[in-house]
Amino acid sequence: MLQSQDPSLSGPARGADLPGRDRLLAFFTAIAIVTVLYVGRDVFVPIAVAILLSFVLAPVILVLRRVKVPRTAAAVVVVIATFVGLLALGSVIALQTSDLVAELPKYRLNLSEKIRSVKEATGGSGTFERTMDMIQDLGRELEAPDPAKAVSEEGGPFATGGRPLPVEIREPPPGTLGTLSAVMAPLLHPLATLGIIFIFVLFILLQREDLRNRFVRLAGAHDIQRTTAALDDAGRRLSRFFLTQVALNAAFGTVIGLGLWLIGVPSPLLFGIAAAVLRFVPYVGAAVAAALPIGFALAVDPGWTMVLSAAVLFIVVEPLVGHVIEPLLYGRSTGLSPVAVIAAATFWTWLWGPIGLLLSTPLTLCLVVLGRHVESLEFLDVALGDRPPLSDSELLYQRLLAGDPVEAAASAEDVLRQTDLDAYCDGVVLPALKLAQRDAARGALDAERQARIRDTLADLLEHLPAPEEKLAADGEGVDDARPRPEGPSVLVLPARSVLDEAAAQLLVYRLTADGVAAEAAAPGGARRLATGQAGVIILAYLSPATPAHRRYTIRSLTRDRTGRRVVVADFMAEGPPPVLQGEAAAVSTVRGAVEAAQVDAPASAPSAPALVPARAGAA
């Protein structure tokens, strides 16, 4: 008995610690993964590049397989051709860069003339001149010798005449092996990394099916169909995206190189290749690619024609590619949110350096695709993807909780542009109110926040455009000759709670939109309504109600008037609405309540279906 009273030994208490322990375990697991990726970057970077490169080359191999080329031959040919192509591209870049550096001193006079012209344009003694003087003073201060050090050296043992003796250390001239070593040393590491990458690519392409089957075994052997579908979809999407991006950036670099050649900028091939490579870097890559040739044109051209032409070339080509061609080729976006792209670029650059910056978007896209297919990794899709994290109803409920009708109205207008009013009321507003009712039922929503939801919804409905306004905006015209009743023909009675009042407001708005004179009463006004003139009364239920409460309310509303119709709108009912007694009808949607109310309402549509009364005495 004592053991059962000890909260530390009870089952619920132990279970309550499990989510916290799981989150702590996931946190330390993430830290361990990041640490391993950082420490082992010399190993993981070639593997990551090889995997991404295999996605690019896989479609090419599939094309060769369709023309009866054996798998091994196709993989070897494609890998060798890619390796040779990259080596040739690197050689071209090296030669072009060396030529460019050798020519830079020739253009020093042009730069001096442009600086002088800028100084004259700014007035000589203005801000520009003061800034340049300050920079020169700082440079002279940094180059000046340390006085204390000079004094200490004057009295040194090797001083002659008060000045130190200069000492120069010269190394013997290197031999043939030394010269070869000095030339090859900077190239060995990149060449070794490139060789490792292509070895990985070759084996990944040769063993593609075997690696896929092993991944299926590790990731989801209990549901092979779902795991296979996820892998096929992810591989197809990633291959198409990477191949399209490579082709598009290569075409962008080609256009830029040809344009710079026509303008007359030296080394256009180098700048075209740089533009193609830098465009893989999100957001800033295109700007850097433009700054390089524009800056060089500034030094080459004595005037400003070449500079302006190069700037216009990038201003025209980059928006055309980024905002017109890219959306046509692979959709509106890459599937990543803009914030995720920036955060991923920062993270991968910190983790793996410049190569991480180039790989940031493809690697993050892989994580998003993985999150869309693996349930346990869904948080990656939510955190990094561009799909809305909240549904329309969840977003509306969140805005109602925050008391923000402005954003809620803006979201509602977006939804109403794509659907009709009934779909919005039953598909967005009503599910949002159901979420509020569920939170209220479990004690997570106090009376103050329920009142805020009701008042915010009232403001939202007041600012939504009426259907007549939407028709007039579309040019369809509105029939102003239809009858308008003088008094309310439908009264909406909230059953009990504040959230029932919110549901009643929604019903009044929807009925008014159809031209029905509707009005909402306060909760508990059944006795006052019993003496009213309304022919139809709708009981709005979000809060739970027993059959006895419904029967009592219906009898009190129909006691003093024969033929009055009562519609019970039980919005929390699951499945078909319950059958009620006498002249009462039950519905569970806003559209159903509107149709039931318009059967006998004076301004109802003539095509509204008749409602057959339910069996008497049923609960």
Side-chain angles (χ1 to χ4, degrees):
M1 182 174 181
L2 290 175
Q3 183 179 2
S4 63
Q5 292 177 350
D6 186 0
S8 64
L9 298 177
S10 61
R14 291 194 301 270
D17 290 336
L18 290 179
R21 292 178 181 176
D22 291 342
R23 286 192 293 269
L24 193 62
L25 179 61
F27 175 73
F28 283 112
T29 302
I31 290 179
I33 292 174
V34 172
T35 303
V36 170
L37 290 175
Y38 181 77
V39 174
R41 57 186 178 274
D42 291 338
V43 175
F44 290 113
V45 167
I47 295 176
V49 175
I51 293 174
L52 297 178
L53 193 58
S54 68
F55 279 113
V56 177
L57 299 180
V60 182
I61 292 180
L62 291 178
V63 172
L64 294 177
R65 292 286 305 278
R66 291 192 183 100
V67 296
K68 307 303 181 181
V69 178
R71 171 189 298 277
T72 303
V76 171
V77 168
V78 169
V79 170
I80 291 177
T82 305
F83 183 77
V84 172
L86 288 179
L87 282 181
L89 194 63
S91 302
V92 171
I93 292 175
L95 292 175
Q96 292 279 316
T97 304
S98 62
D99 293 341
L100 195 65
V101 172
E103 293 178 0
L104 278 178
K106 302 177 182 178
Y107 309 119
R108 183 174 182 178
L109 181 60
N110 291 336
L111 285 175
S112 300
E113 291 293 334
K114 283 189 171 59
I115 292 174
R116 187 179 300 109
S117 64
V118 171
K119 290 175 64 177
E120 293 175 356
T122 54
S125 59
T127 305
F128 181 82
E129 187 175 11
R130 290 196 298 269
T131 303
M132 295 301 297
D133 291 341
M134 182 187 68
I135 294 174
Q136 292 176 1
D137 292 339
L138 289 175
R140 285 193 293 267
E141 184 68 24
L142 291 173
E143 293 175 358
D146 189 359
K149 183 178 180 181
V151 171
S152 64
E153 289 178 349
E154 287 179 359
F158 300 100
T160 59
R163 294 184 179 180
L165 285 174
V167 177
E168 184 178 355
I169 300 177
R170 294 186 178 181
E171 295 182 358
T176 304
L177 292 178
T179 304
L180 185 62
S181 176
V183 172
M184 293 298 297
L187 301 176
L188 287 179
H189 183 70
L191 288 176
T193 303
L194 190 63
I196 293 173
I197 289 173
F198 277 94
I199 290 174
F200 273 117
V201 171
L202 180 61
F203 279 97
I204 288 173
L205 294 175
L206 289 175
Q207 303 292 323
R208 190 176 177 216
E209 287 76 11
D210 181 69
L211 292 174
R212 180 200 62 200
N213 296 337
R214 293 178 185 277
F215 185 81
V216 169
R217 176 67 179 175
L218 293 173
H222 59 283
D223 192 356
I224 294 180
Q225 183 274 334
R226 181 178 180 182
T227 307
T228 302
L231 282 176
D232 290 342
D233 179 61
R236 185 168 55 253
R237 288 175 181 270
L238 291 173
S239 294
R240 183 170 62 248
F241 170 75
F242 293 148
L243 190 61
T244 304
Q245 192 178 40
V246 169
L248 186 63
N249 291 349
F252 174 79
T254 302
V255 172
I256 292 296
L258 289 175
L260 294 176
W261 175 70
L262 293 174
I263 292 171
V265 178
S267 303
L269 181 59
L270 175 63
F271 293 126
I273 295 172
V277 174
L278 288 172
R279 204 173 181 279
F280 285 97
V281 179
Y283 296 113
V284 299
V288 176
L292 293 175
I294 291 174
F296 196 72
L298 190 68
V300 172
D301 190 14
W304 297 92
T305 304
M306 186 181 294
V307 178
L308 296 177
S309 301
V312 169
L313 175 66
F314 279 92
I315 291 173
V316 172
V317 174
E318 169 56 28
L320 181 65
V321 173
H323 300 288
V324 177
I325 299 178
E326 276 186 355
L328 292 177
L329 289 180
Y330 46 77
R332 300 293 300 174
S333 68
T334 60
L336 304 176
S337 69
V339 176
V341 172
I342 297 174
T346 305
F347 172 78
W348 289 108
T349 303
W350 166 78
L351 195 66
W352 287 348
I355 191 66
L357 180 62
L358 290 174
L359 299 178
S360 60
T361 300
L363 288 174
T364 308
L365 183 61
C366 291
L367 294 178
V368 170
V369 172
L370 194 63
R372 290 182 181 178
H373 292 285
V374 180
E375 185 176 355
S376 59
L377 299 178
E378 186 181 3
F379 70 94
L380 293 173
D381 182 26
V382 175
L384 303 174
D386 62 348
R387 295 194 297 186
L390 298 176
S391 64
D392 292 331
S393 58
E394 291 171 338
L395 178 60
L396 175 59
Y397 177 44
Q398 197 270 337
R399 290 295 87 199
L400 294 177
L401 281 172
D404 182 10
V406 177
E407 184 177 344
S411 177
E413 291 175 1
D414 292 338
V415 175
L416 288 173
R417 290 191 189 99
Q418 304 173 4
T419 186
D420 57 9
L421 192 57
D422 287 326
Y424 176 70
C425 291
D426 280 322
V428 178
V429 183
L430 191 56
L433 294 178
K434 289 181 180 180
L435 291 174
Q437 176 57 41
R438 293 189 182 100
D439 286 346
R442 62 187 181 89
L445 201 63
D446 55 23
E448 180 181 355
R449 288 195 288 175
Q450 292 182 41
R452 184 189 303 164
I453 289 174
R454 176 199 60 196
D455 298 339
T456 307
L457 180 62
D459 291 341
L460 167 64
L461 297 177
E462 185 178 345
H463 288 87
L464 286 182
E468 290 85 355
E469 298 177 11
K470 187 174 187 300
L471 290 174
D474 295 339
E476 298 180 11
V478 181
D479 184 11
D480 294 328
R482 63 181 180 182
R484 300 287 182 178
E486 297 180 358
S489 59
V490 177
L491 285 171
V492 183
L493 176 63
R496 290 179 174 180
S497 68
V498 176
L499 295 177
D500 292 339
E501 292 184 65
Q505 292 171 352
L506 177 62
L507 286 172
V508 170
Y509 168 77
R510 182 61 189 87
L511 287 164
T512 306
D514 272 7
V516 178
E519 201 175 273
R527 293 185 180 277
R528 182 180 66 82
L529 290 173
T531 60
Q533 300 300 317
V536 179
I537 296 176
I538 301 178
L539 284 172
Y541 279 97
L542 273 172
S543 57
T546 62
H549 179 271
R550 290 174 178 165
R551 287 194 297 268
Y552 170 78
T553 306
I554 292 171
R555 282 197 301 267
S556 64
L557 292 174
T558 57
R559 182 180 301 145
D560 298 331
R561 180 172 174 179
T562 305
R564 169 177 284 164
R565 175 173 296 280
V566 177
V567 178
V568 176
D570 187 2
F571 294 125
M572 297 299 291
E574 297 181 0
V579 179
L580 302 177
Q581 60 183 1
E583 294 295 320
V587 295
S588 58
T589 63
V590 174
R591 181 60 187 167
V594 172
E595 291 178 350
Q598 289 184 352
V599 170
D600 296 322
S604 61
S607 60
L611 188 68
V612 179
R615 298 192 307 271

Short mmCIF file of all heavy atoms in Angstrom, two decimals, residues 131-179:
data_model
loop_
_atom_site.label_atom_id
_atom_site.label_comp_id
_atom_site.label_asym_id
_atom_site.label_seq_id
_atom_site.Cartn_x
_atom_site.Cartn_y
_atom_site.Cartn_z
N THR A 131 38.15 60.10 -46.37
CA THR A 131 38.21 58.65 -46.10
C THR A 131 39.51 58.07 -46.64
O THR A 131 40.18 57.26 -45.96
CB THR A 131 37.00 57.95 -46.75
OG1 THR A 131 35.79 58.54 -46.25
CG2 THR A 131 37.01 56.46 -46.43
N MET A 132 39.90 58.44 -47.84
CA MET A 132 41.15 57.92 -48.41
C MET A 132 42.36 58.38 -47.60
O MET A 132 43.30 57.61 -47.36
CB MET A 132 41.29 58.38 -49.86
CG MET A 132 40.24 57.81 -50.80
SD MET A 132 40.24 56.01 -50.87
CE MET A 132 41.87 55.71 -51.53
N ASP A 133 42.36 59.64 -47.13
CA ASP A 133 43.47 60.14 -46.30
C ASP A 133 43.56 59.36 -45.00
O ASP A 133 44.66 59.03 -44.53
CB ASP A 133 43.28 61.63 -46.01
CG ASP A 133 43.47 62.47 -47.27
OD1 ASP A 133 44.09 61.95 -48.22
OD2 ASP A 133 42.98 63.62 -47.30
N MET A 134 42.40 59.05 -44.42
CA MET A 134 42.41 58.29 -43.17
C MET A 134 42.99 56.89 -43.39
O MET A 134 43.77 56.38 -42.58
CB MET A 134 40.99 58.19 -42.62
CG MET A 134 40.89 57.45 -41.28
SD MET A 134 39.19 57.21 -40.77
CE MET A 134 38.64 56.04 -42.02
N ILE A 135 42.61 56.25 -44.51
CA ILE A 135 43.13 54.91 -44.80
C ILE A 135 44.64 54.96 -45.01
O ILE A 135 45.39 54.09 -44.52
CB ILE A 135 42.42 54.33 -46.03
CG1 ILE A 135 40.94 54.09 -45.71
CG2 ILE A 135 43.08 53.04 -46.48
CD1 ILE A 135 40.13 53.64 -46.91
N GLN A 136 45.14 55.98 -45.70
CA GLN A 136 46.58 56.10 -45.91
C GLN A 136 47.33 56.34 -44.60
O GLN A 136 48.40 55.78 -44.37
CB GLN A 136 46.86 57.23 -46.90
CG GLN A 136 46.38 56.93 -48.32
CD GLN A 136 46.58 58.11 -49.26
OE1 GLN A 136 47.09 59.15 -48.83
NE2 GLN A 136 46.17 57.94 -50.52
N ASP A 137 46.77 57.18 -43.71
CA ASP A 137 47.39 57.42 -42.41
C ASP A 137 47.47 56.13 -41.60
O ASP A 137 48.48 55.85 -40.94
CB ASP A 137 46.62 58.48 -41.65
CG ASP A 137 46.76 59.85 -42.31
OD1 ASP A 137 47.72 60.04 -43.08
OD2 ASP A 137 45.90 60.72 -42.06
N LEU A 138 46.40 55.35 -41.63
CA LEU A 138 46.41 54.09 -40.90
C LEU A 138 47.45 53.14 -41.46
O LEU A 138 48.14 52.42 -40.73
CB LEU A 138 45.02 53.44 -40.95
CG LEU A 138 43.91 54.12 -40.13
CD1 LEU A 138 42.58 53.44 -40.37
CD2 LEU A 138 44.25 54.08 -38.64
N GLY A 139 47.60 53.12 -42.79
CA GLY A 139 48.61 52.26 -43.40
C GLY A 139 50.01 52.66 -43.00
O GLY A 139 50.86 51.81 -42.69
N ARG A 140 50.29 53.96 -42.98
CA ARG A 140 51.62 54.41 -42.56
C ARG A 140 51.87 54.10 -41.09
O ARG A 140 52.98 53.74 -40.70
CB ARG A 140 51.74 55.91 -42.82
CG ARG A 140 51.92 56.27 -44.29
CD ARG A 140 52.35 57.71 -44.44
NE ARG A 140 51.29 58.62 -44.03
CZ ARG A 140 50.39 59.15 -44.84
NH1 ARG A 140 50.42 58.82 -46.14
NH2 ARG A 140 49.47 59.97 -44.40
N GLU A 141 50.80 54.19 -40.27
CA GLU A 141 50.96 53.89 -38.84
C GLU A 141 51.27 52.42 -38.63
O GLU A 141 52.09 52.05 -37.78
CB GLU A 141 49.68 54.27 -38.10
CG GLU A 141 49.74 54.10 -36.58
CD GLU A 141 50.71 55.08 -35.92
OE1 GLU A 141 50.98 56.15 -36.52
OE2 GLU A 141 51.19 54.77 -34.83
N LEU A 142 50.65 51.56 -39.41
CA LEU A 142 50.90 50.12 -39.26
C LEU A 142 52.30 49.74 -39.74
O LEU A 142 52.93 48.82 -39.21
CB LEU A 142 49.84 49.33 -40.03
CG LEU A 142 48.42 49.39 -39.47
CD1 LEU A 142 47.45 48.70 -40.42
CD2 LEU A 142 48.37 48.73 -38.10
N GLU A 143 52.80 50.44 -40.76
CA GLU A 143 54.12 50.11 -41.31
C GLU A 143 55.26 50.74 -40.54
O GLU A 143 56.42 50.37 -40.73
CB GLU A 143 54.19 50.56 -42.77
CG GLU A 143 53.25 49.79 -43.69
CD GLU A 143 53.27 50.35 -45.10
OE1 GLU A 143 54.01 51.36 -45.30
OE2 GLU A 143 52.59 49.79 -45.97
N ALA A 144 54.98 51.70 -39.66
CA ALA A 144 56.04 52.39 -38.91
C ALA A 144 56.70 51.42 -37.94
O ALA A 144 56.03 50.59 -37.33
CB ALA A 144 55.48 53.59 -38.16
N PRO A 145 58.03 51.49 -37.73
CA PRO A 145 58.70 50.58 -36.78
C PRO A 145 58.36 50.93 -35.34
O PRO A 145 57.98 52.06 -35.02
CB PRO A 145 60.19 50.81 -37.06
CG PRO A 145 60.25 52.19 -37.64
CD PRO A 145 58.98 52.39 -38.40
N ASP A 146 58.48 49.93 -34.46
CA ASP A 146 58.21 50.12 -33.04
C ASP A 146 59.38 50.88 -32.41
O ASP A 146 60.53 50.42 -32.46
CB ASP A 146 58.04 48.75 -32.37
CG ASP A 146 57.54 48.89 -30.94
OD1 ASP A 146 57.37 50.04 -30.48
OD2 ASP A 146 57.35 47.85 -30.28
N PRO A 147 59.16 52.07 -31.78
CA PRO A 147 60.28 52.83 -31.19
C PRO A 147 61.01 52.07 -30.10
O PRO A 147 62.24 52.12 -30.01
CB PRO A 147 59.59 54.09 -30.64
CG PRO A 147 58.30 54.19 -31.40
CD PRO A 147 57.89 52.80 -31.69
N ALA A 148 60.28 51.37 -29.26
CA ALA A 148 60.92 50.63 -28.16
C ALA A 148 61.83 49.54 -28.70
O ALA A 148 62.94 49.31 -28.20
CB ALA A 148 59.85 50.04 -27.25
N LYS A 149 61.35 48.89 -29.77
CA LYS A 149 62.17 47.82 -30.35
C LYS A 149 63.42 48.40 -31.01
O LYS A 149 64.50 47.82 -30.95
CB LYS A 149 61.32 47.06 -31.38
CG LYS A 149 62.04 45.88 -32.00
CD LYS A 149 61.12 45.15 -32.96
CE LYS A 149 61.84 43.97 -33.58
NZ LYS A 149 60.97 43.26 -34.54
N ALA A 150 63.26 49.57 -31.64
CA ALA A 150 64.43 50.19 -32.27
C ALA A 150 65.48 50.58 -31.25
O ALA A 150 66.69 50.42 -31.47
CB ALA A 150 63.97 51.42 -33.06
N VAL A 151 65.05 51.10 -30.08
CA VAL A 151 66.00 51.48 -29.03
C VAL A 151 66.73 50.28 -28.51
O VAL A 151 67.93 50.27 -28.26
CB VAL A 151 65.26 52.23 -27.90
CG1 VAL A 151 66.18 52.42 -26.72
CG2 VAL A 151 64.74 53.56 -28.42
N SER A 152 66.00 49.16 -28.30
CA SER A 152 66.64 47.96 -27.77
C SER A 152 67.63 47.39 -28.75
O SER A 152 68.64 46.81 -28.38
CB SER A 152 65.58 46.92 -27.42
OG SER A 152 64.90 46.52 -28.60
N GLU A 153 67.37 47.55 -30.06
CA GLU A 153 68.28 47.00 -31.06
C GLU A 153 69.53 47.86 -31.22
O GLU A 153 70.58 47.37 -31.61
CB GLU A 153 67.55 46.88 -32.40
CG GLU A 153 66.50 45.77 -32.41
CD GLU A 153 65.78 45.71 -33.73
OE1 GLU A 153 65.96 46.68 -34.53
OE2 GLU A 153 65.05 44.75 -33.97
N GLU A 154 69.41 49.18 -30.90
CA GLU A 154 70.57 50.03 -31.08
C GLU A 154 71.73 49.67 -30.16
O GLU A 154 72.89 49.82 -30.51
CB GLU A 154 70.16 51.49 -30.84
CG GLU A 154 69.33 52.06 -31.98
CD GLU A 154 68.92 53.49 -31.69
OE1 GLU A 154 69.30 54.00 -30.61
OE2 GLU A 154 68.25 54.10 -32.54
N GLY A 155 71.40 49.19 -28.97
CA GLY A 155 72.48 48.83 -28.04
C GLY A 155 72.79 47.37 -28.05
O GLY A 155 73.41 46.86 -27.12
N GLY A 156 72.41 46.64 -29.07
CA GLY A 156 72.64 45.21 -29.11
C GLY A 156 74.09 44.87 -29.34
O GLY A 156 74.90 45.71 -29.74
N PRO A 157 74.47 43.62 -29.10
CA PRO A 157 75.86 43.20 -29.24
C PRO A 157 76.36 43.26 -30.67
O PRO A 157 77.57 43.33 -30.91
CB PRO A 157 75.85 41.77 -28.70
CG PRO A 157 74.46 41.30 -28.88
CD PRO A 157 73.60 42.50 -28.71
N PHE A 158 75.41 43.23 -31.65
CA PHE A 158 75.84 43.23 -33.05
C PHE A 158 75.72 44.60 -33.68
O PHE A 158 75.78 44.74 -34.89
CB PHE A 158 75.01 42.22 -33.85
CG PHE A 158 75.13 40.82 -33.34
CD1 PHE A 158 74.15 40.28 -32.54
CD2 PHE A 158 76.25 40.05 -33.65
CE1 PHE A 158 74.27 39.00 -32.06
CE2 PHE A 158 76.36 38.77 -33.16
CZ PHE A 158 75.37 38.23 -32.37
N ALA A 159 75.53 45.65 -32.87
CA ALA A 159 75.35 46.99 -33.42
C ALA A 159 76.69 47.59 -33.80
O ALA A 159 77.69 47.41 -33.12
CB ALA A 159 74.67 47.88 -32.39
N THR A 160 76.68 48.29 -34.92
CA THR A 160 77.87 49.02 -35.36
C THR A 160 77.46 50.43 -35.69
O THR A 160 76.61 50.65 -36.57
CB THR A 160 78.48 48.34 -36.60
OG1 THR A 160 77.51 48.32 -37.64
CG2 THR A 160 78.97 46.94 -36.30
N GLY A 161 78.04 51.35 -34.97
CA GLY A 161 77.70 52.75 -35.22
C GLY A 161 76.29 53.07 -34.79
O GLY A 161 75.66 53.94 -35.38
N GLY A 162 75.76 52.33 -33.81
CA GLY A 162 74.41 52.62 -33.32
C GLY A 162 73.32 51.96 -34.13
O GLY A 162 72.14 52.17 -33.87
N ARG A 163 73.65 51.15 -35.13
CA ARG A 163 72.64 50.50 -35.97
C ARG A 163 72.92 49.00 -36.01
O ARG A 163 74.07 48.58 -36.04
CB ARG A 163 72.66 51.06 -37.38
CG ARG A 163 72.24 52.53 -37.45
CD ARG A 163 72.19 53.01 -38.89
NE ARG A 163 71.79 54.39 -38.97
CZ ARG A 163 71.65 55.07 -40.11
NH1 ARG A 163 71.92 54.44 -41.25
NH2 ARG A 163 71.28 56.33 -40.09
N PRO A 164 71.84 48.18 -36.03
CA PRO A 164 72.05 46.72 -36.06
C PRO A 164 72.55 46.27 -37.42
O PRO A 164 72.28 46.89 -38.44
CB PRO A 164 70.65 46.16 -35.77
CG PRO A 164 69.73 47.23 -36.24
CD PRO A 164 70.42 48.54 -35.97
N LEU A 165 73.30 45.17 -37.40
CA LEU A 165 73.77 44.59 -38.65
C LEU A 165 72.64 43.80 -39.30
O LEU A 165 71.99 42.98 -38.66
CB LEU A 165 74.95 43.65 -38.38
CG LEU A 165 76.29 44.31 -38.06
CD1 LEU A 165 77.30 43.24 -37.67
CD2 LEU A 165 76.80 45.10 -39.25
N PRO A 166 72.37 44.00 -40.57
CA PRO A 166 71.34 43.19 -41.24
C PRO A 166 71.84 41.77 -41.45
O PRO A 166 73.00 41.55 -41.82
CB PRO A 166 71.13 43.90 -42.58
CG PRO A 166 72.42 44.63 -42.81
CD PRO A 166 72.95 45.00 -41.46
N VAL A 167 70.98 40.81 -41.16
CA VAL A 167 71.31 39.40 -41.32
C VAL A 167 70.33 38.80 -42.33
O VAL A 167 69.11 38.96 -42.20
CB VAL A 167 71.22 38.64 -39.98
CG1 VAL A 167 71.51 37.16 -40.21
CG2 VAL A 167 72.19 39.23 -38.98
N GLU A 168 70.79 38.10 -43.33
CA GLU A 168 69.95 37.51 -44.36
C GLU A 168 70.27 36.03 -44.47
O GLU A 168 71.44 35.64 -44.56
CB GLU A 168 70.20 38.21 -45.70
CG GLU A 168 69.30 37.70 -46.82
CD GLU A 168 69.54 38.45 -48.12
OE1 GLU A 168 70.34 39.40 -48.10
OE2 GLU A 168 68.94 38.07 -49.14
N ILE A 169 69.23 35.23 -44.42
CA ILE A 169 69.38 33.77 -44.52
C ILE A 169 68.93 33.34 -45.90
O ILE A 169 67.80 33.61 -46.31
CB ILE A 169 68.55 33.06 -43.43
CG1 ILE A 169 69.02 33.49 -42.04
CG2 ILE A 169 68.65 31.55 -43.60
CD1 ILE A 169 68.20 32.90 -40.92
N ARG A 170 69.81 32.69 -46.60
CA ARG A 170 69.51 32.23 -47.95
C ARG A 170 69.59 30.71 -48.00
O ARG A 170 70.53 30.11 -47.48
CB ARG A 170 70.48 32.82 -48.96
CG ARG A 170 70.35 34.33 -49.12
CD ARG A 170 71.25 34.83 -50.24
NE ARG A 170 71.12 36.25 -50.45
CZ ARG A 170 71.78 36.94 -51.38
NH1 ARG A 170 72.63 36.28 -52.19
NH2 ARG A 170 71.61 38.23 -51.50
N GLU A 171 68.58 30.14 -48.64
CA GLU A 171 68.56 28.69 -48.83
C GLU A 171 69.24 28.37 -50.16
O GLU A 171 69.16 29.16 -51.10
CB GLU A 171 67.14 28.16 -48.82
CG GLU A 171 66.44 28.32 -47.48
CD GLU A 171 65.05 27.74 -47.51
OE1 GLU A 171 64.64 27.25 -48.60
OE2 GLU A 171 64.38 27.77 -46.46
N PRO A 172 69.85 27.21 -50.25
CA PRO A 172 70.45 26.83 -51.53
C PRO A 172 69.36 26.62 -52.57
O PRO A 172 68.23 26.27 -52.25
CB PRO A 172 71.18 25.51 -51.20
CG PRO A 172 70.50 25.00 -49.99
CD PRO A 172 70.06 26.20 -49.21
N PRO A 173 69.65 26.86 -53.82
CA PRO A 173 68.63 26.66 -54.87
C PRO A 173 68.17 25.21 -54.90
O PRO A 173 68.97 24.29 -54.79
CB PRO A 173 69.37 27.05 -56.16
CG PRO A 173 70.81 26.94 -55.82
CD PRO A 173 70.95 27.26 -54.37
N PRO A 174 66.85 25.02 -55.02
CA PRO A 174 66.33 23.64 -55.03
C PRO A 174 66.72 22.91 -56.31
O PRO A 174 66.85 23.51 -57.38
CB PRO A 174 64.82 23.83 -54.94
CG PRO A 174 64.59 25.19 -55.53
CD PRO A 174 65.79 26.00 -55.18
N GLY A 175 66.88 21.64 -56.16
CA GLY A 175 67.18 20.82 -57.33
C GLY A 175 65.90 20.46 -58.07
O GLY A 175 64.82 21.01 -57.85
N THR A 176 66.06 19.46 -58.96
CA THR A 176 64.90 19.05 -59.77
C THR A 176 63.80 18.47 -58.90
O THR A 176 62.61 18.79 -59.06
CB THR A 176 65.35 18.02 -60.81
OG1 THR A 176 66.42 18.57 -61.59
CG2 THR A 176 64.19 17.65 -61.72
N LEU A 177 64.19 17.59 -57.95
CA LEU A 177 63.18 16.99 -57.08
C LEU A 177 62.51 18.04 -56.20
O LEU A 177 61.31 17.98 -55.93
CB LEU A 177 63.83 15.89 -56.22
CG LEU A 177 64.30 14.64 -56.98
CD1 LEU A 177 64.96 13.66 -56.02
CD2 LEU A 177 63.12 13.98 -57.68
N GLY A 178 63.30 19.01 -55.71
CA GLY A 178 62.71 20.05 -54.87
C GLY A 178 61.73 20.90 -55.64
O GLY A 178 60.66 21.26 -55.12
N THR A 179 62.08 21.27 -56.87
CA THR A 179 61.16 22.06 -57.69
C THR A 179 59.88 21.29 -57.98
O THR A 179 58.76 21.82 -57.90
CB THR A 179 61.84 22.46 -59.01
OG1 THR A 179 63.05 23.15 -58.72
CG2 THR A 179 60.93 23.32 -59.85
#
